Amino acid sequence: MAALNKKTIDDINVKGKRVLCRCDFNVPLKNGEITDDNRIVAALPTIKKLIADGGKVILCSHLGKIKTEEDKPSKTLAPVAKRLSELLGKEVKFAADPEVVGPNARAAVAAMKDGDVVLLENTRYRKEETKNGDEFSKDLASLADVFVNDAFGTAHRAHCSNVGVTKYIKGPHVVGYLMEKEIKFLGQAVENPVRPFVAILGGAKVADKLNVISNLLEKCDTLIIGGGMAYTFEKAKGYEIGTSLVDDTKIDYCKEMMEKADKLGKRLLLPVDAVITDHFPDPIDDPEIKTEVVDIDKIPADKMGMDIGPKTRELYAKAVADAKTVVWNGPMGVFENPVLSAGTRAVAQALADSDATTIIGGGDSAAAANQMGFHDKITHISTGGGASLEFLEGKELPGVAAADDKD
Ligand code: AMP
């Protein structure tokens, strides 16, 4: 495992102390019901440890995006308090303050006994949260003596509740078990992988993945590209790609990456065939969409590539089967449509069948693997899409950097 140079909850004593613990409870909700509680479950080891050690456990998190006042009622953390209570088998007191740190939160914290748990309202109820404003950071800090950050999903952002607050809580400031696990798995894969190391990137746009492509090419043995972003590479190779998604401003970049792969002696695998359609499905999951499979050099001018074809699936599955470490981020096609999801499914299946250390970098690919029931066949499924991508780019994550260094 890669060494994490940050203090963790194992390095501190929280007995009798007020501990503010930033979690990632950003779960999907439908009509007020949680539809996937993975992120809450992933936070349990840290919360249980803090309870067992006799801390006064004050939890906070954001949930969704809040643009206007009207968004607030549907983004309350109240359902999370309920679910967390069930999972912990003990009361989680919900402090329902519209200003997050208000009379309810202060009274609830003042009444806490060792081992009690309080959950604050959605931190994004405060506009300053995402601007890392001092006032909200100070308000949060006023509740606690110690800070624990276990929210990997927001670690790539510097907000009040994960970074700003560390200026005002005396400390220590440490990371929780989930954060530690995420960094260890991703760090090990990128910095010290058991080889062959295969990285798989998909998703819509090349422009979103420029740095991650470049950085992973240096680290991996084979880089596999799928999804919409593959077609800019195919065009750079000189193929006609019809009406497939393309970013003409990134053709030169793709050429550069192919040259870089050659120079470094790395394999860069691109689709050799495609599932094509004559329009983008609307609605996206339209099961009636008509498809055809063609070799990559045979895409007609009026058709678009929507998924990797069967030869590509086989090629990619074989590369995964030969690997000892695999990192995957981004779908291979328009997986939201069952007719166009075979490529993404095939890659998920290849990871599930593999004996390698397999890591899925959050987001759509994590959702796909979870939906397919593969979660227990993958070594590590990250809880953070954006955060894991930035980590794979080689960037320092502000949420991690803000924790105290190990002595
Ligand atoms: P991203 O947010 O970059 O990870 O991209 C995910 C999105 O890429 C999904 O919503 C997919 O539907 C979309 N996508 C994948 N393959 C294609 C493709 N060949 N053409 C258009 N969109 C695609």
Side-chain angles (χ1 to χ4, degrees):
M1 288 288 162
L4 174 69
N5 176 31
K6 293 289 175 186
K7 281 195 181 152
T8 76
I9 47 175
D10 285 331
D11 297 319
I12 57 171
N13 178 1
V14 298
K15 174 98 186 107
K17 302 227 173 86
R18 300 171 304 159
V19 185
L20 181 68
C21 180
R22 175 47 159 113
C23 296
D24 177 8
F25 293 144
N26 185 26
V27 291
L29 288 168
K30 203 169 183 183
N31 305 324
E33 295 288 324
I34 297 165
T35 55
D36 177 348
D37 66 1
N38 275 323
R39 283 181 160 164
I40 305 177
V41 172
L44 292 176
T46 291
I47 298 169
K48 285 182 176 165
K49 162 82 174 158
L50 295 172
I51 295 170
D53 287 356
K56 295 170 178 158
V57 188
I58 307 155
L59 304 173
C60 69
S61 172
H62 80 284
L63 174 60
K65 290 199 171 90
I66 294 188
K67 295 198 183 98
T68 64
E69 284 296 311
E70 285 78 67
D71 293 336
K72 287 186 175 175
S74 63
K75 300 279 160 44
T76 171
L77 277 174
V80 171
K82 188 165 161 267
R83 184 80 191 103
L84 189 57
S85 233
E86 290 160 9
L87 289 166
L88 288 172
K90 72 178 277 150
E91 191 198 2
V92 173
K93 190 157 178 41
F94 182 59
D97 283 319
E99 68 275 51
V100 187
V101 181
N104 286 320
R106 291 189 203 288
V109 170
M112 285 177 100
K113 295 195 271 313
D114 294 357
D116 280 355
V117 184
V118 166
L119 173 63
L120 305 182
E121 183 53 282
N122 184 351
T123 51
R124 291 207 184 155
Y125 273 35
R126 289 281 289 265
K127 277 206 287 291
E128 314 101 282
E129 161 73 334
T130 54
K131 300 184 183 76
N132 201 7
D134 278 338
E135 206 178 314
F136 184 41
S137 298
K138 281 184 193 164
D139 280 353
L140 283 169
S142 71
L143 295 177
D145 312 300
V146 175
F147 181 64
V148 175
N149 188 356
D150 209 23
F152 180 71
T154 36
H156 58 314
R157 304 276 179 246
H159 293 169
C160 294
S161 63
N162 68 334
V163 172
V165 73
T166 60
K167 272 207 303 200
Y168 301 106
I169 290 186
K170 242 170 82 196
H173 321 104
V174 304
V175 297
Y177 288 138
L178 175 61
M179 192 79 119
E180 188 185 17
K181 184 170 140 196
E182 294 270 14
I183 304 284
K184 278 186 173 171
F185 274 109
L186 290 163
Q188 161 81 6
V190 177
E191 297 309 331
N192 194 17
V194 183
R195 295 185 183 277
F197 170 26
V198 173
I200 309 169
L201 292 175
K205 296 186 199 137
V206 186
D208 293 345
K209 310 244 158 97
L210 299 178
N211 296 328
V212 77
I213 294 169
S214 182
N215 191 44
L216 282 178
L217 257 185
E218 287 164 24
K219 313 279 185 189
C220 71
D221 301 294
T222 300
L223 179 63
I224 293 180
I225 306 248
M229 60 192 268
Y231 296 95
T232 304
F233 278 90
E234 304 286 12
K235 188 162 178 188
K237 282 178 82 173
Y239 293 129
E240 291 302 328
I241 54 163
T243 54
S244 306
L245 199 65
V246 67
D247 182 347
D248 283 314
T249 68
K250 295 293 174 286
I251 302 267
D252 285 343
Y253 173 83
C254 291
K255 286 184 182 157
E256 228 177 85
M257 289 302 111
M258 292 189 280
E259 280 159 22
K260 181 169 175 168
D262 269 352
K263 218 182 272 165
L264 295 173
K266 306 294 173 80
R267 267 203 320 166
L268 177 61
L269 295 183
L270 293 167
V272 294
D273 59 353
V275 178
I276 55 171
T277 64
D278 62 6
H279 65 280
F280 195 92
D282 182 21
I284 197 165
D285 59 352
D286 172 14
E288 304 296 323
I289 187 99
K290 295 277 172 294
T291 63
E292 253 177 275
V293 173
V294 292
D295 284 344
I296 208 70
D297 57 349
K298 302 265 174 350
I299 300 180
D302 59 345
K303 298 277 168 73
M304 52 178 71
M306 286 288 162
D307 192 11
I308 55 173
K311 288 186 211 165
T312 311
R313 282 172 226 155
E314 208 173 300
L315 177 71
Y316 290 4
K318 170 84 174 57
V320 169
D322 293 341
K324 289 277 193 295
T325 304
V326 185
V327 172
W328 174 32
N329 188 299
M332 296 291 103
V334 181
F335 75 105
E336 295 91 337
N337 189 311
V339 181
L340 303 168
S341 65
T344 303
R345 295 183 71 87
V347 166
Q349 182 79 54
L351 262 72
D353 292 344
S354 154
D355 296 328
T357 299
T358 48
I359 297 164
I360 300 187
D364 289 332
S365 13
N370 282 328
Q371 268 162 28
M372 290 166 69
F374 286 157
H375 52 279
D376 54 351
K377 298 196 178 75
I378 305 293
T379 315
H380 179 66
I381 301 185
S382 175
T383 53
S388 65
L389 259 188
E390 293 205 10
F391 191 92
L392 296 176
E393 283 178 23
K395 280 194 193 155
E396 184 178 57
L397 305 179
V400 179
D404 300 340
D405 290 335
K406 272 203 196 291
D407 295 327

